[in-house]
Structures are given as structure tokens and as C-alpha cells.
Amino acid sequence: MKVTEHIARAKETLFSFEILPPLKGETIQSIYDTLDPLMEVNPPFIDVTYHREEVVYKRLKNGLVEPKTIRKRPGTVGIAAALMNRYHVDAVPHLICGGFSKEETENALIDLDFLGIENVLVLRGDPAKGEKKFMPSPQGHHYAIDLLNQVEEMNRGKYLDDELENSSPTNFCIGVAGYPEKHFEAPNLKTDLNYLKAKVDAGADYIVTQLFFDNQAFFDFEKSCREIGIEVPIIPGIKPISVKNHLNLLPNFFHIDLPEDLSDAIMKAKSPEAIRQVGIEWSVNQCKELMSHGVPCLHFYTMGRTSNIHEIVKELT
Ligand code: FAD
């Protein structure tokens, strides 16, 4: 079922989770161990991130260093299918522009369609490690909207090969990313919102936001979206702080601010367990306020840690 259908049918706020494929060489059991406890809250869908290739440097026996391009976390499509099979939930594989040609994207979409996957979250992806700005692959897409247009074309039965006749249309529900505190490359929030509106006008069915810790940022973002005519569901992204170095790591990596009350409480906490508890309590309060505001779904970024998220959702149900 499509994410938008789940939202339309829901009588209460839904909970969804986002997982990362395991590092190459690990088994899928690590994903099941992560998700099994969370399934008691009946998430209608689970997102699986996509990770672009990166260059690693291997030292050779002769002392020289050789660059090698590898994908450390492959398996998004396989995991999406495995989750549907094991848990009977809908999977939302992410698709990114970075590292993919249009042809590779089309082939991935064909696989997803054949597997009965009806949802995708389309993203540009971050610049590759070591690159200052995002560089599209040769024959690839530059912005998420370009990738979205390709999915939309396939939903109309139009594939890259013009000569194909009677091609079956796919039927993907398409999500896109939104940034309550603005995407880090955008010159200002207004410009960023206009590009978000363009994604919605091009066919995006819903928006999932970057993680944030100050609900006011989300409320303001949602209001601005509505004011410029974005009417699709907006799903807030939630990530509980669980360790002290999140204080630097999260703002650095995700370009978001942490409220002073939260960073003060983390700084004052006397043990790792106390820090974890501060993170849980902050998220619970954040989620309760978002639920009473009427958000359709709370989307939890697990990033491989779920025991704290399990405690949060139990508190909310
Ligand atoms: P876009 O919508 O393309 O926007 C990128 C930037 O370009 C923005 O500053 C925007 O304002 C600007 N822009 C947009 N369109 C245009 C245009 N036509 N002309 C000029 N400027 C434009 N990354 C991964 O690698 N894998 C994942 O699985 C993944 N999952 C994510 C899930 C969520 C919910 C979120 C919020 C992010 C995720 N990311 C993931 C990170 C994401 O790829 C990065 O934030 C990336 O830098 C931007 O992606 P986007 O889809 O928002 O890009």
C-alpha cells in the first residue's frame, strides 16, 4: 500500500522507522534484531536508506596507496523486499541521484516494481566524500526533482527508450525531503521552500523532514509550506540524542541547531545512561507536542540504534 493511503486511512498518528543497510559482510539478522522490538507498534512502512559509493585508499605491499571505489552499505532493494516478506509492512527504499545513471535508476525502479514495492523516497544525495559540491554522475541526475521526473515518467509508462511500445506504467508513491532549518546549500529558507514546492508540483506525494529538535522550527516550516500552496502530508523526522558526541556530530552532519535547553541538559548529565535518558525524554516531549498538533506520522531515524526509540514509542502508545 502507498504511504499516502496509510496516512489517509489512519485514525491516529502513525510511527515509521528508517534503517540503514548493514555494512557489507554483515548479515541481515542485524536489521531484524534492530526492528523486531519495534514491530509491536505496527509501523505501516519502513524506510531503507541508499548509500552511494565512496573512494577508499588501500595500502599495497609495495607501500603505494591505491584508490578503490566501493559501496559500503549495498542491499537497499534486497532489504526492502526482505522486510515486506518478514513483517508484511510496506517498504520505502530511498533512491538517490549521486552515483547513478538514469539507466541504472530505471533498472532499479523496474526491480522495485516487480517486487511489488509501491513507494520510493527520491533524494539527490550528499556530495561524495572529498567533493566540495554535489557532482552528478555522467548520464545521472543533478537534483532530486530530476529523479522525481524520471519516476513520474515511468508512472506514465514512459521509459528511457523511446522505441519501447505498450510499456506498463509503474505506480510509485513518491516522497521527497524537506528541511525545517533549510538545506545547507540553499541561500535562504524561501529559495529552499520554492524548490520544495517545485518537487511537489512535479508530483511528490508527501514530504519527510530532516531531523530537528525544536518543534517551533517544524511548525514554522509547515506553515510556510501551506502558505505557498504545498498541500501534501508533511512527516516530521525524529532522532533521539543518545550519546554526548551527538552534540557536535548531529549539527555538523545534518546542518541543524540544537536548542540550548537540550544541550545544557546533555552537558549536565553525569553518565552515558543519564545522557541517553535526557535524549529519550526530549524526544517523548517533542513527539507528544507534534501528535497533539496533528502530524500524520512520526518518522524515526534509527541509525542502527533502536532501544531508545523503542522506549519512546512505548511511552507514546
Ligand atoms: P534537492 O531537493 O535536489 O535539493 C538540494 C539542494 O539544491 C537544496 O539546497 C535545494 O534548495 C537546491 N535545489 C533543488 N532544486 C534545485 C534546482 N532545480 N536548481 C537549483 N537548486 C536547486 N542521503 C543519502 O545519500 N541517502 C539516503 O538514503 C538519504 N535519505 C534521506 C532521507 C531524508 C528524510 C532526508 C531529509 C535526507 C536524506 N538524505 C539521504 C540526505 C539528502 O540526500 C541530502 O540532504 C542532500 O544534500 C539533498 O537531497 P534533496 O533530495 O533534498 O536534494
Side-chain angles (χ1 to χ4, degrees):
M1 205 158 98
K2 296 180 173 186
V3 166
T4 44
E5 289 169 343
H6 284 295
I7 289 174
R9 287 183 189 191
K11 296 200 168 56
E12 300 176 329
T13 311
L14 301 169
F15 300 122
S16 62
F17 304 108
E18 179 171 311
I19 56 154
L20 277 65
L23 287 166
K24 194 181 272 185
E26 289 179 8
T27 71
I28 198 166
Q29 190 58 43
S30 62
I31 297 291
Y32 297 152
D33 292 344
T34 304
L35 282 176
D36 280 352
L38 295 177
M39 297 316 289
E40 68 185 51
V41 298
N42 295 320
F45 58 92
I46 296 173
D47 280 49
V48 189
T49 57
Y50 218 121
H51 297 261
R52 67 178 302 167
E53 77 294 350
E54 44 187 289
V55 178
V56 294
Y57 293 89
K58 298 249 176 206
R59 187 164 288 282
L60 304 175
K61 281 187 185 144
N62 61 10
L64 293 175
V65 174
E66 184 185 56
K68 263 193 124 185
T69 303
I70 58 163
R71 199 177 292 278
K72 288 186 177 171
R73 293 182 185 272
T76 300
V77 174
I79 291 171
L83 295 183
M84 288 175 72
N85 188 38
R86 180 177 169 102
Y87 298 118
H88 307 289
V89 292
D90 282 297
V92 185
H94 294 186
L95 288 179
I96 56 174
C97 306
F100 291 88
S101 67
K102 291 173 197 155
E103 174 79 20
E104 287 163 335
T105 297
E106 182 172 275
N107 294 340
L109 286 163
I110 289 170
D111 280 343
L112 295 174
D113 186 42
F114 287 170
L115 286 165
I117 291 172
E118 294 176 280
N119 300 285
V120 286
L121 190 78
V122 303
L123 303 140
R124 187 196 67 179
D126 282 323
K129 270 195 187 133
E131 278 181 359
K132 286 218 170 77
K133 61 180 218 184
F134 179 83
M135 298 297 292
S137 293
Q139 315 298 325
H141 295 297
H142 199 136
Y143 293 108
I145 192 169
D146 306 322
L147 173 54
L148 189 151
N149 284 331
Q150 184 176 5
V151 184
E152 276 288 309
E153 291 272 275
M154 284 181 72
N155 278 351
R156 287 192 284 270
K158 195 164 180 311
Y159 290 60
L160 292 173
D161 181 353
D162 282 342
E163 287 172 18
L164 282 184
E165 284 177 9
N166 303 321
S167 325
S168 309
T170 53
N171 189 23
F172 290 109
C173 170
I174 308 171
V176 290
Y179 301 83
E181 297 174 59
K182 152 183 129 49
H183 183 262
F184 69 101
E185 291 166 26
N188 50 58
L189 193 55
K190 186 170 177 238
T191 312
D192 203 26
L193 281 169
N194 287 337
Y195 286 127
L196 178 59
K197 169 92 164 46
K199 291 193 277 191
V200 173
D201 290 345
D205 296 295
Y206 68 100
I207 296 165
V208 184
T209 77
Q210 181 61 281
L211 53 96
F212 60 91
F213 291 90
D214 178 358
N215 281 350
Q216 196 55 48
F218 175 83
F219 298 142
D220 293 345
F221 168 78
E222 189 192 45
K223 186 164 174 276
S224 305
C225 286
R226 300 308 181 216
E227 278 169 4
I228 59 168
I230 295 176
E231 289 174 1
V232 298
I234 304 178
I235 300 177
I238 305 292
K239 160 81 191 147
I241 285 199
S242 53
V243 289
K244 195 169 196 170
N245 78 1
H246 278 162
L247 281 187
N248 302 111
L249 206 137
L250 297 179
N252 197 11
F253 197 82
F254 296 104
H255 309 277
I256 47 129
D257 275 351
L258 295 180
E260 273 176 40
D261 288 354
L262 176 59
S263 59
D264 286 350
I266 300 279
M267 293 301 282
K268 277 188 204 140
K270 295 215 161 31
S271 65
E273 181 47 38
I275 290 172
R276 183 177 173 278
Q277 205 48 43
V278 170
I280 290 175
E281 279 165 24
W282 188 276
S283 288
V284 167
N285 290 333
Q286 222 191 323
C287 292
K288 281 185 177 164
E289 192 182 25
L290 289 164
M291 287 166 85
S292 51
H293 177 75
V295 298
C297 180
L298 292 164
H299 184 72
F300 290 92
Y301 293 99
T302 68
M303 297 178 196
R305 282 174 202 262
T306 47
S307 68
N308 52 352
I309 293 175
H310 189 220
E311 285 182 44
I312 293 163
V313 290
K314 275 178 71 179
E315 189 73 30
L316 298 172
T317 46

